[in-house]
Amino acid sequence: MFRFASSLASKVSRLPSSSIRLVPARLYCSKNYRYQNLKFVSPHTKYADLMIRSMFFGGQKLVEEGVHPNALEKGFILAGKEVNRYLKGRARLVRTFEEIAEVATAAAKQNEKVGEIVAKAIMKVGTQGLVFTTDDEEWKDELELLNVMNLDWAPPSHYFTEKITETCVFNDPLILIHDATVSNLNVIEQAIGQAHARPLLIVAGGIEDRVLGSLLLDTTRLQKGVTFCVINPTIDEDFKASIDPGFLGRRNAILQDLAILTGSQVLNGASELNYTPSILGSCKQVRVSRRETLFIGGSGCQEAIKERCEQLRSAIELSTLDDEVWYLKWRLAQLSRAASIVKVGGSSKVSKLSASVFDNALNIARLSVRKGILPGSGVAFLHASKELDKLQTANYDENAGIKLLQNALKVPVSTIASAAGLHGSSVANMLLEEDNPDLGYDPTKGKYVDVIKSRIFDPLMALQEELNKVLWLINKEYHIYNSRRLEK
């Protein structure tokens, strides 16, 4: 089972209440890492909470004794770089189907079926591919492979997205593609009339303020019960075209690729009066954010998509310009890109619970595949502290910063052992004396085990994020504390 210090300490049911109080309540949390953007990992990490607490109170005493915060900062930054180097060198890569399945199974609470589905999803699209989970009305769990395209186009107004998530998700939408600035409201009105109850996505090179204002304000005449969204390039096209003559041609080529993927036609200024319903395309889902738009499962003809890909490959072979070759390869990658869609079966609360298990296993597996895994329950940080014995500087204050981080790296293991009724420092020192860097204490079994073989591990990317969080926050706190102390 995938366990960090939080879940390990919380599972010891035989402890007296006095021992449990030694572990802060905030230690317990469900690890649900998001591979799309690692900065969202930070709020869920709990090694960092313990380490920050240790470093803050230890550094507070040093600052009161006259140690300069800048020197402390330099010391623990040097130590942090050394710890990062050690963690990278110790990480074990996760590459094969069996390894990915084992990681996902552990993250899914020993559910081998979930681990197998997650491993298949990742292996189908590769380490850089996209994997999503969706709810399904059927009770069985399924895996589906769909083509996707990602564009850095976004809505011109925040009114098209939800206030909290700043996203807009359409299922089975109609898609209207316009290669120029939309200046005729009649074009959009006709598309809205054809949409009926289906959502509508308008992809345009731009949209005039007058037309945009009408779309947002005149809801009684235009919306007709249809939800719609408009996206356009996030850059200034006029400026880009002035410095790059080929920009508009490349942009129109991307729109043609999107039209082939979604089974639509590109509308231009000359064809506004010849609008027909066949111009509209569709896809299974569109995910719009404030920075980009993702098209999933386009309804275009697969033969047409393959033919377009072959044309791009031929153009790559014939081209002699590096910039053009790079751009053609990027278009080919976008058009031939695929995503694994995990359909989680079930209904109501059961479905939501299953989806959370799949999400957790998927996100942990993705992090592990990217950079590897390390021994969990704080063991990796504990042995990284041993490496800091070799790091010494001529400055006393900097050495104090190194020692501060070194002591903080031992805190997670000490906290787990203390919660199990043992002497935390003694357990940490004993583990440091052992030759096996994978040896750790498992409080659920009450004995020392090989944490990797026991499926207790941490993704390297998660540990790096936690370490960066510690260094950034503690440096900020030191300077705030020192400034307040001097004001007094």
Side-chain angles (χ1 to χ4, degrees):
M1 180 179 179
F2 187 79
R3 292 160 287 180
F4 286 72
S6 55
S7 55
L8 281 171
S10 64
K11 290 181 181 296
V12 185
S13 57
R14 58 183 173 83
L15 299 180
S17 58
S18 59
S19 297
I20 296 177
R21 292 194 191 101
L22 294 175
V23 183
R26 67 175 183 272
L27 266 177
Y28 181 78
C29 78
S30 175
K31 296 295 174 179
N32 193 4
Y33 294 118
R34 296 290 178 186
Y35 71 88
Q36 291 96 334
N37 195 337
L38 260 186
K39 68 182 180 182
F40 292 120
V41 172
S42 298
H44 300 284
T45 56
K46 298 304 172 185
Y47 286 156
D49 293 343
L50 293 174
M51 294 165 62
I52 288 172
R53 183 181 180 88
S54 170
M55 291 186 68
F56 177 75
F57 289 112
Q60 187 179 27
K61 295 179 182 179
L62 291 173
V63 172
E64 290 176 352
E65 293 172 0
V67 176
H68 200 281
N70 289 339
L72 275 179
E73 175 192 1
K74 187 175 180 180
F76 60 67
I77 286 179
L78 287 174
K81 291 180 179 179
E82 184 66 20
V83 171
N84 257 320
R85 184 197 62 78
Y86 171 80
L87 294 177
K88 288 180 181 179
R90 286 275 298 132
R92 304 182 183 188
L93 298 180
V94 178
R95 289 290 182 266
T96 65
F97 175 85
E98 291 75 15
E99 292 172 341
I100 298 174
E102 184 177 2
V103 169
T105 299
K109 302 179 181 180
Q110 305 304 322
N111 190 324
E112 294 184 358
K113 181 181 178 181
V114 173
E116 183 178 349
I117 293 176
V118 169
K120 286 181 180 179
I122 293 177
M123 293 298 291
K124 279 182 177 293
V125 297
T127 58
Q128 301 300 323
L130 300 176
V131 184
F132 302 101
T133 57
T134 60
D135 296 333
D136 192 36
E137 294 179 358
E138 301 293 334
W139 278 97
K140 61 181 180 179
D141 302 323
E142 296 180 344
L143 178 63
E144 185 178 7
L145 191 66
L146 298 174
N147 49 21
V148 297
M149 178 177 284
N150 190 26
L151 296 180
D152 56 348
W153 290 30
S157 172
H158 66 276
Y159 288 106
F160 289 111
T161 59
E162 295 182 4
K163 292 183 179 180
I164 298 177
T165 61
E166 294 188 341
T167 60
C168 175
V169 179
F170 286 161
N171 292 317
D172 193 27
L174 291 174
I175 300 174
L176 171 65
I177 303 177
H178 199 293
D179 67 355
T181 300
V182 177
S183 58
N184 189 346
L185 189 60
N186 183 52
V187 178
I188 299 178
E189 282 183 324
Q190 292 184 56
I192 291 176
Q194 293 293 329
H196 302 296
R198 294 176 64 180
L200 174 67
L201 178 70
I202 303 167
V203 183
I207 184 168
E208 289 187 356
D209 293 340
R210 173 182 56 84
V211 178
L212 180 61
S214 298
L215 288 174
L216 295 175
L217 299 177
D218 199 354
T219 56
T220 58
R221 182 168 66 90
L222 288 175
Q223 288 192 18
K224 299 178 182 179
V226 177
T227 55
F228 62 91
C229 179
V230 180
I231 63 170
N232 58 9
T234 56
I235 61 175
D236 187 343
E237 289 202 334
D238 293 335
F239 172 75
K240 187 69 176 179
S242 65
I243 61 176
D244 184 3
F247 170 75
L248 292 179
R250 290 195 297 269
R251 189 210 63 183
N252 292 338
I254 295 175
L255 292 179
Q256 290 290 345
D257 294 343
L258 179 61
I260 292 174
L261 184 72
T262 58
S264 59
Q265 299 178 28
V266 179
L267 193 67
N268 53 48
S271 61
E272 286 180 355
L273 300 179
N274 299 323
Y275 173 84
T276 59
S278 62
I279 290 178
L280 297 178
S282 65
C283 64
K284 290 196 173 183
Q285 190 180 77
V286 169
R287 300 187 178 192
V288 181
S289 69
R290 294 295 296 158
R291 294 184 178 180
E292 61 183 9
T293 301
L294 184 66
F295 300 84
I296 303 174
S299 59
C301 176
Q302 294 299 317
E303 292 299 326
I305 295 174
K306 291 180 181 179
E307 183 180 352
R308 186 72 165 184
C309 290
E310 289 300 325
Q311 292 175 2
L312 291 174
R313 292 189 182 96
S314 300
I316 291 172
E317 294 178 358
L318 296 175
S319 178
T320 57
L321 301 175
D322 292 340
D323 292 342
E324 185 178 358
V325 169
W326 178 90
Y327 179 72
L328 290 171
K329 287 183 177 179
W330 178 82
R331 283 178 54 198
L332 178 61
Q334 288 281 51
L335 197 57
S336 59
R337 197 176 186 185
S340 293
I341 311 298
V342 180
K343 295 182 178 180
V344 182
S347 62
S348 64
K349 294 182 179 179
V350 177
S351 178
K352 293 180 180 179
L353 179 60
S354 300
S356 66
V357 172
F358 268 100
D359 282 335
N360 196 43
L362 177 60
N363 295 324
I364 291 169
R366 289 299 299 267
L367 289 181
S368 301
V369 168
R370 287 188 176 185
K371 288 190 177 181
I373 59 175
L374 288 160
S377 70
V379 174
F381 276 150
L382 177 67
H383 286 280
S385 68
K386 197 173 182 180
E387 295 294 309
L388 298 183
D389 290 335
K390 309 171 186 177
L391 185 64
Q392 295 294 330
T393 65
N395 188 301
Y396 171 81
D397 292 356
E398 292 178 7
N399 286 331
I402 296 173
K403 188 68 175 177
L404 203 62
L405 180 59
Q406 186 178 33
N407 292 333
L409 292 171
K410 302 176 183 178
V411 172
V413 169
S414 300
T415 304
I416 294 172
S418 298
L422 303 179
H423 193 278
S425 299
S426 299
V427 172
N429 292 332
M430 191 279 292
L431 291 175
L432 285 173
E433 294 174 358
E434 294 292 329
D435 294 332
N436 184 7
D438 295 338
L439 188 66
Y441 183 75
D442 186 350
T444 61
K445 297 179 180 178
K447 62 181 181 180
Y448 296 95
V449 298
D450 187 310
V451 290
I452 292 292
K453 292 181 179 179
S454 299
R455 292 181 174 178
I456 306 173
F457 51 80
D458 297 335
L460 170 60
M461 294 183 72
L463 292 184
Q464 289 177 326
E465 186 68 19
E466 294 196 17
L467 183 61
N468 293 335
K469 176 185 176 183
V470 170
L471 298 180
W472 181 79
L473 286 179
I474 204 64
N475 176 50
K476 182 179 178 181
E477 292 295 333
Y478 283 166
H479 284 284
I480 293 175
Y481 174 76
N482 188 49
S483 62
R484 291 177 178 174
R485 185 178 65 86
L486 295 177
E487 288 176 359
K488 295 179 181 179

